Amino acid sequence: HRKPTELLGELGWYSNSTSCPITAGTWPAIFAATQVAVHGAERLVSASAPVYAMCRPPGHHAYPDLMTGVCYLNNAAIAAHQLTKRFGKVAIVDIDVHHCNGTQFIFWERPDVLVCSIHIDPRLSAPYYAGHADETGDGAGAGLNFNQPLPWATPDPVWIEAIDAAVGKVRGFAPGALVVSLGFDAGEHDPVATFKITDAGFAEAARRLAALTLPTLLVQEGGYLSPSLGGYLRSFLRTFEDRSI
């Protein structure tokens, strides 16, 4: 309840995760990643095709004043806020295998941003303290937070059903633009081995999301280093581009 003035105490005030180290090059990387997302949002205003923002570090766990889960600034949330100025209502669909707790918090009471997340059940994995199905928003944002927690080893068919449910929510919300928090750590060959989503599964998710025919900003989130990571990205981007043209 009272912020410390000593360095280590102040660091803990702004972080609830040991996975957010700070070195000499950390801030330039954080700032550059967020500017990539902001630039993507700016490009989307006049683009005739989807825009992909390859952000590193990712951002969807970050709160307005709290770094956590390898996330320092919430790239997708900052971009979505920018897009509301041009498109009015914006929908975010987060397909990273972990819940977008920071994004959820930021838009919890906002009436102009719908947040949909498909993720591992928080009782089983990080971020643990957010992401349950009964967390639906509050105040002006009541009903605009849609969580779909899923079990370990979720395969393509179950995951695609959840994508369809999120797409249905987006259609009902009728936004002017879409932001996809594009995590690939749900992949079957991801080192974390949480879900079992295949290249075909990611392509099918892209097909469903592209069918919304909305101006779309794709913001890179998770995806741990593995030989399969690039393949997941190619499967999604190629299908999304083909379907959105």
Side-chain angles (χ1 to χ4, degrees):
H1 300 292
R2 295 175 178 84
K3 188 173 78 169
T5 56
E6 193 272 336
L7 179 60
L8 289 180
E10 191 171 7
L11 177 63
W13 180 264
Y14 291 110
S15 176
N16 72 349
S17 171
T18 57
S19 63
C20 290
I22 294 180
T23 69
T26 301
W27 174 248
I30 296 166
F31 184 76
T34 302
Q35 292 307 307
V36 166
V38 170
H39 181 63
E42 293 171 349
R43 287 287 302 274
L44 192 65
V45 171
S46 58
S48 58
V51 177
Y52 170 58
M54 192 173 73
C55 299
R56 276 293 182 265
H60 71 152
H61 295 309
Y63 293 72
D65 58 356
L66 190 70
M67 56 187 178
T68 178
V70 204
C71 298
Y72 300 82
L73 293 177
N74 198 313
N75 307 315
I78 292 169
H81 173 71
Q82 290 294 107
L83 289 170
T84 61
K85 300 174 184 179
R86 169 63 177 83
F87 293 99
K89 296 193 299 183
V90 173
I92 299 174
V93 177
D94 191 308
I95 65 170
D96 187 280
V97 83
H98 301 109
H99 177 249
C100 56
N101 50 326
T103 308
Q104 171 176 291
F105 181 89
I106 290 167
F107 297 113
W108 187 250
E109 296 184 343
R110 289 268 299 258
D112 54 347
V113 179
L114 170 71
V115 177
C116 303
S117 180
I118 302 159
H119 52 269
I120 180 70
D121 190 322
R123 295 174 299 177
L124 306 175
S125 184
Y128 297 113
Y129 310 109
H132 298 281
D134 60 357
E135 298 165 14
T136 58
D138 201 5
L144 296 182
N145 194 82
F146 181 46
N147 289 329
Q148 297 186 79
L150 300 173
W152 282 105
T154 290
D156 285 351
V158 176
W159 193 67
I160 293 301
E161 285 182 11
I163 297 285
D164 285 338
V167 166
K169 286 285 187 180
V170 173
R171 290 191 189 280
F173 184 60
L178 173 68
V179 175
V180 179
S181 276
L182 190 60
F184 293 109
D185 42 7
E188 62 178 340
H189 300 302
D190 190 87
V192 177
T194 305
F195 286 175
K196 300 295 182 183
I197 309 308
T198 65
D199 284 282
F202 285 117
E204 195 58 40
R207 188 171 290 110
R208 272 17 186 227
L209 292 166
L212 287 165
T213 63
L214 289 167
T216 301
L217 175 64
L218 309 169
V219 179
Q220 188 64 55
E221 298 287 359
Y224 298 92
L225 188 61
S226 78
S228 301
L229 183 57
Y232 296 146
L233 177 60
R234 284 190 295 272
S235 295
F236 188 96
L237 291 183
R238 285 173 177 168
T239 303
F240 197 97
E241 185 177 26
D242 288 346
R243 295 290 292 185
S244 61
I245 293 175

